[in-house]
Amino acid sequence: MPLPTDIRHLLQGLHAPLTLTQPQWERVLRRARPVGLHARLAAVQLPQPGLPDPVRRHLLSAQRIAAHRGQALRAELFRLSPLVAGDFPVIILKGGAYLLQDRKMARGRFASDIDLLVPSSHLRAMEDRLRRAGWQAAALDAYDERYYRDWSHETPPMRFPGSPLEVDLHHAITPVTGSLAFDPSSLFSHSEIVPGTPFRVLSLEDQVLHACLHCFHDGELDLRIREVVDIDGLLREGAARPHFWEALIRRASGLGLHRPLWYGLHYARLWMDCPVPASVMERLPTPSRRTRWCMDTLIPLALLPPDPDHPPPLRLKAAQALLRARYHLLRMPPHLLLPHLAHKAGRRLKAYLDGGKPTP
Amino acid sequence: MTVPSYRLLDAGAARIAVASPLQTLHAHLDMVYPHLEPQDAAGFADVRVSLLPEALWRPGRRQVRMWCDSQSPFETYPVASALPLFEWGSNWLLSQRLNAYLLLHAGVVAREDRAVLLPAMPGSGKTTLTCALHLAGWRFLSDEFGVLDPDTGEILPMTRPAPLKNESIQVIRARPGAVLGPLFPKTRKGDVAHFVPDRDSFSQRHRRARPALVVFPRFQAGAALTCNRVDAAQAAMRLGLNSFNYQALGPVGLHAVATLARQTHAYELQYGDLDEAISQVEQLLESAP
């Protein structure tokens, strides 16, 4: 199905200057804002002369907010750096890493938290260091605490008092109970130091795979189009390096992440015109026709920004519910998942009966 | 799906488009924006919203929800109070996306093109004083937002009805020439009625003004008038505190408030009597740069 015109303009506008009328610009901005892509659009479009005044104002507005958030991210990394002592590696994941590495794709990218990856043997040590230095975890009940500790791949989020950003501490990049769980030790051996900082980042190939995993096999669905934009940005940086595609496929095979990579490449090509060589797609096993049909029906509905003139339609909510069910199944085997969902539903019902609003 | 038919309100610094099937909302908009000529709704709008009634099967009084770009970041209101929801909601949306400007939480009025800014926290009588000054012959530029262009240092009008709350409704209604919209009793912020700026203020909504005076007002029932000069450094800090986006603007915000504080005189004004406050502001403007 072809993309709606304003979404096409938006996605093109993340790479090349746009020449649009004011009403067209307004529609592009209205698609961009709910998915947090307006500052990325600004990073590419603001340098061009001849933008209509109101459009320039809105792009400038987005750019300023992104700069402010970037500053907060840098401040948090600055506060974290004395906690990295060199006795075990600390990897910055995702947005924080892109910013530290000064990647082109980080320009105008909103980040709302910092994700740290440490070896599981040092998870407690890192957590203690954060606590001693003043970070505080949100109060959780015993059940949520156990969910995070035993079934998840991260500890409960922590926050330095007054900081706008949360710190999530991970010991893996897949849920430990999930079907794609793998031993994260090679992530560390492939990781790279960021010069001038005590932090490490994943190799570019691993960053691509992590972004694919996060986009197509994990948690929240809102803003997911941004993950495809991330995948596209990382791939374009990689495409300029010799032997990148071979290394990427080899790494995906090594970690058993063919499937998320296939989805990432597929949608980056389809939506972002990402220059993935056809030979690369041929070397990856293609999902069955039925799976592809399901995903090609659900993914655009759930991921692309909806029509800005109307409330989200029912079919969008249905698509999101189905994808969420898929994530849950990929995350936990049924004998863990069913009691977990039952517990959450019971708690929601109790809260409702107690007169409060249902918890998300 | 078809595009709803929007109605475009040009407030000067921003253009707001609204669509709704609720006839009462349109009747109320006619009352509080009586001087706005019909606009081409297909033109660029800074904020574009829909106010749609919630499904009938929901329990309780019929509610209306405000949508913007397929999202709804607001609580619902009873359908009869669609106008206050629209005014507050669209102002909140504007505060998120007009960061090309420094947005002060301030009323602004002007004589000729010399503007007086009245920055204040909610509850300090800012709206009441702004409306009273306007009724005393000053041009109304804005109530909620003092919109400052950091490139030129000028103030842009944001000519929208000013939401008067509780006792201040009667205080302003009693003044000659006051035009108020319908009364909305017991909203989330108490009783509310919107004060309507005059035709001249609307027709000059694209005319910028130069800030000359900053007055931090504080109404105190029965208090005698006191007026103290605030030095430039403190004025700059207080302007920053009374801003929606001072922090987010970073160095641009700092430069904007510092320049504003240097180029104006600033005072702290405590008053119990509106007319005394008005004549005091008149005098202060005469001695301002």
Side-chain angles (χ1 to χ4, degrees):
Chain A
M1 211 171 58
L3 291 174
T5 314
D6 15 296
I7 296 184
R8 216 177 57 237
H9 285 151
L10 167 62
L11 298 178
Q12 284 168 353
L14 300 176
H15 290 303
L18 294 172
T19 313
L20 302 174
T21 64
Q22 287 197 29
Q24 283 177 320
W25 267 117
E26 193 201 323
R27 288 196 64 84
V28 169
L29 285 166
R30 292 176 70 203
R31 293 273 193 183
R33 267 191 215 99
V35 289
L37 285 176
H38 47 322
R40 291 200 186 190
L41 188 67
V44 177
Q45 302 299 326
L46 265 177
Q48 68 157 314
L51 282 175
D53 274 344
V55 176
R56 176 173 300 283
R57 274 206 317 271
H58 280 272
L59 294 175
L60 182 62
S61 180
Q63 190 184 49
R64 284 186 176 154
I65 297 300
H68 179 56
R69 297 253 209 112
Q71 197 63 24
L73 197 66
R74 283 177 209 282
E76 190 78 7
L77 288 168
F78 182 78
R79 261 200 298 271
L80 285 167
S81 53
L83 307 189
V84 184
D87 45 353
F88 56 87
V90 176
I91 291 179
I92 306 283
L93 299 170
K94 299 182 64 195
Y98 308 152
L99 189 88
L100 268 184
Q101 292 176 284
D102 201 19
R103 290 205 184 282
K104 194 174 164 211
M105 52 167 299
R107 290 175 205 163
R109 187 187 186 281
F110 289 119
S112 51
D113 49 21
I114 289 189
D115 296 290
L116 301 177
L117 178 70
V118 297
S120 57
S121 51
H122 293 92
L123 190 70
R124 278 298 161 112
M126 190 66 202
E127 208 181 336
D128 288 344
R129 268 181 216 178
L130 281 163
R131 277 185 212 278
R132 274 202 304 275
W135 271 264
Q136 295 166 359
L140 294 178
D141 65 22
Y143 183 86
D144 281 341
E145 187 83 25
R146 183 169 156 237
Y147 172 82
Y148 270 108
R149 302 269 170 215
D150 295 353
W151 297 333
S152 180
H153 53 300
E154 54 188 301
T155 57
M158 300 175 88
R159 190 188 289 271
F160 193 85
S163 169
L165 295 163
E166 275 183 351
V167 172
D168 293 332
L169 195 53
H170 303 252
H171 57 85
I173 60 173
T174 44
V176 290
T177 51
S179 53
L180 288 175
F182 62 87
D183 174 11
S185 58
S186 71
L187 296 175
F188 292 95
S189 54
H190 282 70
S191 70
E192 301 162 8
I193 189 99
V194 184
T197 79
F199 302 112
R200 304 185 73 86
V201 290
L202 296 177
S203 69
L204 180 59
E205 294 80 18
D206 287 356
Q207 282 183 329
V208 172
L209 294 170
H210 183 212
C212 294
L213 259 174
H214 200 260
C215 184
F216 297 103
H217 287 261
D218 201 4
E220 296 301 313
L221 276 159
D222 296 334
L223 311 181
R224 221 17 91 72
I225 179 73
R226 297 198 318 187
E227 309 261 357
V228 178
V229 176
D230 279 350
I231 294 167
D232 170 70
L234 291 167
L235 290 173
R236 282 173 196 251
E237 293 203 19
R241 299 185 183 180
H243 313 302
F244 168 73
W245 299 107
E246 290 79 14
L248 181 60
I249 292 182
R250 207 177 321 119
R251 192 69 180 134
S253 316
L255 297 175
L257 298 177
H258 271 142
R259 183 52 59 86
L261 178 62
W262 189 90
Y263 285 129
L265 298 180
H266 174 68
Y267 289 104
R269 272 173 63 147
L270 193 67
W271 291 344
M272 307 292 302
D273 276 331
C274 186
V276 183
S279 59
V280 170
M281 294 308 287
E282 282 159 18
R283 288 172 58 193
L284 289 171
T286 310
S288 72
R289 273 179 57 188
R290 201 181 55 172
T291 308
R292 271 195 67 174
W293 180 85
C294 284
M295 292 296 269
D296 278 343
T297 309
L298 296 178
I299 291 280
L301 258 176
L303 264 60
L304 293 171
D307 182 349
D309 280 317
H310 299 278
L314 202 59
R315 62 175 186 284
L316 184 152
K317 291 181 186 170
Q320 290 195 337
L322 285 170
L323 282 173
R324 210 168 287 128
R326 173 179 168 274
Y327 289 147
H328 274 305
L329 280 170
L330 291 169
R331 217 180 154 85
M332 291 176 131
H335 74 275
L336 287 180
L337 178 63
L338 290 175
H340 173 61
L341 292 180
H343 179 92
K344 291 213 97 127
R347 194 162 59 175
R348 214 173 293 185
L349 183 67
K350 183 171 179 300
Y352 180 76
L353 293 176
D354 289 348
K357 287 182 79 172
T359 51
Chain B
M1 268 186 287
T2 53
V3 177
S5 106
Y6 285 99
R7 165 175 188 161
L8 191 69
L9 305 168
D10 179 348
R15 290 149 63 91
I16 304 127
V18 51
S20 180
L22 296 169
Q23 286 313 311
T24 42
L25 174 63
H26 288 286
H28 289 165
L29 286 171
D30 291 339
M31 289 166 80
V32 299
Y33 290 95
H35 309 302
L36 281 189
E37 56 282 8
Q39 300 262 340
D40 174 16
F44 190 95
D46 295 276
V47 162
R48 200 172 279 271
V49 296
S50 305
L51 282 96
L52 305 177
E54 292 273 273
L56 265 176
W57 50 263
R58 290 189 190 243
R61 269 195 301 171
R62 190 106 196 254
Q63 300 281 307
V64 56
R65 183 177 287 283
M66 182 153 137
W67 294 90
C68 178
D69 305 345
S70 78
Q71 295 184 319
S72 175
F74 313 99
E75 302 276 341
T76 59
Y77 272 51
V79 278
S81 297
L83 180 71
L85 172 61
F86 165 68
E87 288 290 318
W88 283 321
S90 57
N91 271 336
W92 183 82
L93 289 163
L94 286 171
S95 74
Q96 303 294 301
R97 34 178 100 167
L98 289 191
N99 297 299
Y101 304 124
L102 178 73
L103 299 175
L104 297 164
H105 187 242
V108 186
V109 290
R111 284 270 189 217
E112 302 300 321
D113 289 328
R114 298 176 75 211
V116 179
L117 277 74
L118 304 160
M121 297 293 173
S124 47
K126 159 186 71 78
T127 303
T128 318
L129 185 56
T130 305
C131 296
L133 282 162
H134 175 48
L135 290 171
W138 295 61
R139 170 155 78 102
F140 181 103
L141 276 84
S142 60
D143 169 57
E144 180 76 359
F145 293 120
V147 184
L148 183 104
D149 182 348
D151 293 336
T152 65
E154 292 166 319
I155 302 287
L156 285 75
M158 178 79 91
T159 317
R160 307 194 70 178
L164 291 163
K165 276 154 235 148
N166 304 321
E167 297 82 23
S168 51
I169 298 172
Q170 264 321 311
V171 172
I172 292 298
R173 201 193 288 281
R175 302 203 145 231
V179 179
L180 268 66
L183 177 73
F184 299 96
K186 296 186 185 137
T187 69
R188 285 169 208 277
K189 304 196 182 182
D191 294 351
V192 172
H194 294 84
F195 172 86
V196 182
D198 69 6
R199 181 179 294 277
D200 282 351
S201 295
F202 267 105
S203 61
Q204 296 183 65
R205 65 190 183 277
H206 293 291
R207 183 170 159 187
R208 297 174 168 215
R210 190 145 279 286
L213 187 64
V214 176
V215 176
F216 299 99
R218 198 168 66 223
F219 172 76
Q220 183 98 46
L225 186 109
T226 55
C227 182
N228 297 309
R229 184 75 189 261
V230 177
D231 68 49
Q234 212 193 54
M237 276 186 58
R238 290 177 65 171
L239 285 164
L241 281 175
N242 281 292
S243 164
F244 291 88
N245 61 354
Y246 165 72
Q247 276 202 319
L249 260 52
V252 176
L254 178 67
H255 186 255
V257 295
T259 310
L260 179 59
R262 277 200 200 101
Q263 292 176 347
T264 55
H265 285 178
Y267 297 87
E268 194 173 51
L269 178 74
Q270 179 169 299
Y271 68 96
D273 181 273
L274 258 184
D275 291 304
E276 277 179 30
I278 292 168
S279 54
Q280 181 69 38
V281 175
E282 302 264 5
Q283 282 173 33
L284 292 176
L285 183 67
E286 275 169 31
S287 62

